[in-house]
Amino acid sequence: MPSALITGATAGIGAAFARRLAADGFSLVLVARDEERLTSAAESLRLRYGVEVEVLAADLTSDEGLGRVEARLRQGIDLLVNNAGFGHPGAALDVSVADELRMLKLHCEAVLRLTMAVLPGMRKRDRGAVINVASVAAFFNRGTYSASKAWVVNYSESTAAELAGTRVRVMALCPGFVRTEFHERASMDTSGIPGFLWLSADDVVREAMRDLAVGRRVSVPDLRYKVIVGAGKLVPRSLAALVSQRLGRR
């Protein structure tokens, strides 16, 4: 039975990955901070899909939490989904340095450390995959969130290139606006986002798994966002940043 470890597994895209992979017959390791929610999610998945589900409560913005997840990954995992993340409300310059550093710890350091923890075993077995959840924001300019997700895309592509010729894959997943708890937790006003731009987490995961299967290094789910990313590369970066800021937040 193949195995998968998913961070940020109790809601949104992480929970959608858990459902999809359980349906595909993966045994799961679910990682999040809230042990009660983890336990509830695990029980639901066991009952519905009949798969083994392990829970690992860990705060990935702490060295202790990262260390425990690294240790679990070194025991052997076939698919790692680095999904945990968060956003800040308001303008970038209004966010404290401490909060910005916490974001970088989760979006960059955690992705790096967990990927490096799992890859040696995958390379030895010559099979396995890592999906690093980034964002369409990676292709636009909007503060530390955008910059951190751009790092995830660059790092994923670079690592995938180094693994060329093996059966180990690394892919950055770059969804647009997805109906999850993400914006609510960040106290973001989403009233200015047009309804047609919203995606479902299950649709995002379905397209991600398809792109992983065909060997894509960057997955941008949904034709609408493929067009947006393509158009963003053609217009001046200052204009793209202005549109992004006005669309994403009031």
Side-chain angles (χ1 to χ4, degrees):
M1 177 183 293
S3 60
L5 185 147
I6 307 164
T7 69
T10 56
I13 293 174
F17 265 112
R19 293 191 296 270
R20 166 61 189 263
L21 295 172
D24 288 347
F26 280 72
S27 63
L28 302 176
V29 182
L30 306 183
V31 178
R33 290 179 300 171
D34 190 328
E35 188 166 9
E36 184 175 344
R37 289 189 72 179
L38 277 173
T39 301
S40 176
E43 184 61 23
S44 177
L45 290 165
R46 293 188 193 103
L47 290 173
R48 182 172 180 181
Y49 300 104
V51 296
E52 297 179 8
V53 186
E54 177 184 341
V55 300
L56 178 52
D59 181 355
L60 298 182
T61 64
S62 73
D63 286 330
E64 187 272 337
L66 276 171
R68 288 195 290 118
V69 181
E70 285 175 310
R72 179 61 184 84
L73 288 168
R74 293 188 182 108
Q75 295 175 27
I77 287 290
D78 297 299
L79 172 62
L80 166 63
V81 181
N82 277 314
N83 168 73
F86 66 92
H88 294 310
L93 296 181
D94 294 333
V95 179
S96 71
V97 172
D99 284 342
E100 295 281 58
L101 289 173
R102 181 168 165 264
M103 175 178 283
L104 290 173
K105 180 90 171 180
L106 183 59
H107 291 182
C108 300
E109 183 179 339
V111 168
L112 171 67
R113 288 176 57 174
L114 299 187
T115 300
M116 294 301 289
V118 80
L119 281 182
M122 290 181 175
R123 294 181 71 182
K124 184 176 181 179
R125 299 188 301 273
D126 194 28
R127 61 179 172 85
V130 178
I131 298 175
N132 293 322
V133 179
S135 170
V136 162
F139 305 103
F140 298 91
N141 299 330
R142 194 198 297 168
T144 301
Y145 181 84
S146 173
S148 67
K149 293 303 186 180
W151 182 89
V152 171
V153 173
N154 191 307
Y155 173 71
S156 299
E157 289 187 286
S158 300
T159 307
E162 291 189 25
L163 292 166
T166 75
R167 294 191 296 169
V168 180
R169 295 175 178 172
V170 177
M171 184 183 80
L173 171 60
C174 301
F177 294 113
V178 184
R179 294 200 180 279
T180 68
E181 298 177 1
F182 177 88
H183 298 91
E184 181 181 349
R185 285 184 174 184
S187 301
M188 293 180 183
D189 177 9
T190 61
S191 60
I193 302 172
F196 71 89
L197 286 180
W198 289 101
L199 306 176
S200 79
D202 290 325
D203 288 344
V204 167
V205 170
R206 181 170 59 252
E207 191 155 346
M209 295 303 293
R210 183 180 65 195
D211 285 346
L212 182 68
V214 300
R216 295 192 189 280
R217 294 178 180 178
V218 178
S219 172
V220 180
D222 195 90
L223 179 60
R224 288 165 288 184
Y225 281 102
K226 288 180 171 65
V227 171
I228 289 170
V229 170
K233 295 178 180 179
L234 299 176
V235 302
R237 291 180 66 85
S238 58
L239 176 59
L242 178 63
V243 172
S244 174
Q245 289 167 0
R246 290 187 175 180
L247 179 63
R249 298 190 183 103
R250 289 184 177 273

